[in-house]
Each structure stands twice: as C-alpha cells, then as structure tokens.
C-alpha cells in the first residue's frame, strides 16, 4: 500500500482529492492537513510514503514545509499540487526536493500516475510544466553559447531559436506568453535585422549558426 498525506487549506479540494485516492486500491489515506505546521507534524507522526502538498498555505509556503519534512524524513516523496505555475515556484520546488509538480486542473489519471511514480523514486510533472522545463533548460544552453546575432534583442533571439526548432507563431506565443501580433512583430524585426526575405531563410541562418 502507498500511504498518502494530503495538504491543502481548501476543504472542498481536499475532499475531492481524497475521493480520487480512495478509488485506487493500492492507496491508503494517511491523514490530511490544512497548514504547513500541521503537515510537518502529521508527516513526522504518520510517516506517509507520499505527501500531496499545495504551495499556498496559510502559515508558510508548501515549499518551506516540504524542506522541513524532507529534513526529518528524506524518504518521503512530496508532490506539489498547486494553482501556481510560475517558473520561480516550479524551480524552487525542484531545488527543495519535490518529486513532482502538478497543476490543480490535473485529471485523476495524472494524479494517480504521479503518486505511483513518486513512490518508485521517480520525478513526474504535468505536461504543461514539463514543456516549460524543457524550454527553460534549452534557453540556458543557448545563453551559455557565444552571443549570436548581437543585432537582435534578447526576446528576438528567443523567438529566432524557437523558429529554428520549427515552432509555429502560435506555439511561440504560448511558450513565451506573447500575443500573436507581438510574435509577428518580433519576426518582422528579425527578418529586417538579419536582412533576409522570409522566415525560412531566417531559420536556415539560425540553424547554420548553431541555434
């Protein structure tokens, strides 16, 4: 059995989550907590296998609570389950030792799969979070290279790198959080600055340069 502690300050969400967990025969309910302090005490007392933890708690953040839980019981797997999806929170959770990060809109099968994976010592993230992580690390690789295309702004370089990967305008907008018109403007500026006539030539130039 995989024993699970649920930590969230919204009773209705906790009830829904408990209903999902109760439907899986391999899962056993180890308790619930509404605050970070309660989570720390419950984890020490009950020693669950998995903690499903919200980030936004009344007394302290779920990340701070997770650090304390893992300090006392490093064998416990903590999965963050939150509405918050900014990069700072995601990578803070990873650095603190989270074995997963799911958004609260995750479906039952995602949650169940994440619990099984974390119990096996793996790390798992919702598809949207995983895609952003891949893009983030790719961006870090690019920034570590020799500065290419100095005539372009930092944002234009990001757009060009995604063009070189074959992303559409819509995909670029989603990844960078830009409106379609803004993406088109960036691409127009890139073509002008690189003195090429269309996006295909810009893509060839970018790929030949190592992007």
């Amino acid at each position: 059995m995989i024993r699970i502690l649920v930590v969230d300050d919204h009773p209705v969400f906790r009830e829904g989550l408990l209903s999902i967990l109760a439907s899986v025969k391999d899962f056993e309910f180890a308790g619930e907590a509404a605050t970070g302090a309660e989570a720390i005490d419950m984890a020490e007392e009950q020693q669950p296998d998995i903690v499903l933890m919200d980030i936004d708690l009344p007394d302290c953040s779920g990340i701070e609570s997770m650090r304390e839980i893992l300090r006392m019981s490093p064998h416990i797997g903590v999965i963050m389950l939150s509405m918050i999806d900014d990069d700072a929170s995601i990578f803070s959770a990873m650095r603190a030792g989270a074995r997963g990060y799911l958004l609260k809109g995750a479906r039952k099968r995602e949650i169940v799969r994440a619990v099984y994976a974390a119990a096996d010592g793996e790390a798992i993230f919702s598809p949207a979070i995983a895609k952003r992580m891949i893009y983030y690390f790719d961006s870090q690789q690019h920034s570590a290279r020799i500065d290419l295309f100095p005539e372009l702004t930092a944002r234009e370089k990001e757009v060009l790198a995604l063009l070189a990967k074959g992303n559409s305008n819509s995909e670029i907008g989603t990844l960078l959080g830009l409106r379609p018109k803004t993406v088109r403007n960036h691409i127009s500026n890139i073509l002008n600055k690189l003195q090429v006539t269309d996006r295909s030539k810009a893509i060839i130039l970018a790929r030949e340069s190592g992007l």
Side-chain angles (χ1 to χ4, degrees):
M1 299 295 288
I2 300 173
R3 302 181 67 250
I4 304 167
L5 170 65
V6 174
V7 184
D8 196 285
D9 62 328
H10 293 93
V12 174
F13 184 78
R14 286 202 310 271
E15 289 174 10
L17 195 52
L18 292 174
S19 176
I20 290 175
L21 300 177
S23 67
V24 182
K25 65 178 183 178
D26 292 334
F27 294 173
E28 180 179 317
F29 177 52
E32 58 183 304
T35 69
E38 289 178 3
I40 294 168
D41 291 342
M42 289 284 292
E44 184 177 17
E45 177 185 343
Q46 296 295 326
Q47 291 295 299
D49 300 300
I50 300 295
V51 177
L52 291 175
M53 174 90 74
D54 190 11
I55 283 184
D56 191 14
L57 298 173
D59 53 347
C60 65
S61 77
I63 294 174
E64 293 173 359
S65 302
M66 173 173 59
R67 287 195 184 100
E68 184 61 18
I69 289 171
L70 295 180
R71 185 187 69 80
M72 297 186 300
S73 305
H75 61 278
I76 294 176
V78 181
I79 301 172
M80 308 309 292
L81 187 58
S82 176
M83 292 291 291
I84 301 173
D85 65 348
D86 62 275
D87 291 345
S89 297
I90 294 167
F91 289 104
S92 291
M94 290 175 60
R95 285 192 294 269
R99 287 195 198 167
Y101 198 113
L102 303 180
L103 298 179
K104 281 191 173 180
R107 297 181 179 180
K108 173 183 174 179
R109 65 173 177 267
E110 286 183 66
I111 296 172
V112 171
R113 184 165 64 97
V115 170
Y116 277 121
D120 287 338
E122 301 173 13
I124 193 163
F125 301 86
S126 65
I129 298 296
K131 191 171 185 179
R132 287 174 61 180
M133 288 169 59
I134 291 170
Y135 171 69
Y136 173 84
F137 288 116
D138 279 351
S139 298
Q140 295 302 303
Q141 279 189 321
H142 292 317
S143 65
R145 294 175 181 171
I146 296 174
D147 188 22
L148 301 172
F149 308 113
E151 65 270 44
L152 302 182
T153 66
R155 178 61 85 187
E156 288 166 354
K157 290 176 184 178
E158 289 181 315
V159 172
L160 180 59
L162 291 174
L163 279 176
K165 287 186 175 183
N167 287 282
S168 67
N169 285 18
S170 176
E171 291 169 336
I172 292 171
T174 299
L175 287 168
L176 298 181
L178 301 176
R179 295 179 179 179
K181 183 179 179 181
T182 304
V183 175
R184 290 196 297 272
N185 288 340
H186 282 312
I187 292 175
S188 178
N189 290 336
I190 290 169
L191 299 183
N192 289 331
K193 290 180 179 181
L194 297 184
Q195 298 182 352
V196 293
T197 55
D198 55 48
R199 65 189 291 150
S200 63
K201 289 184 174 61
I203 290 171
I204 292 172
L205 182 61
R207 290 178 177 173
E208 288 178 345
S209 300
L211 280 181

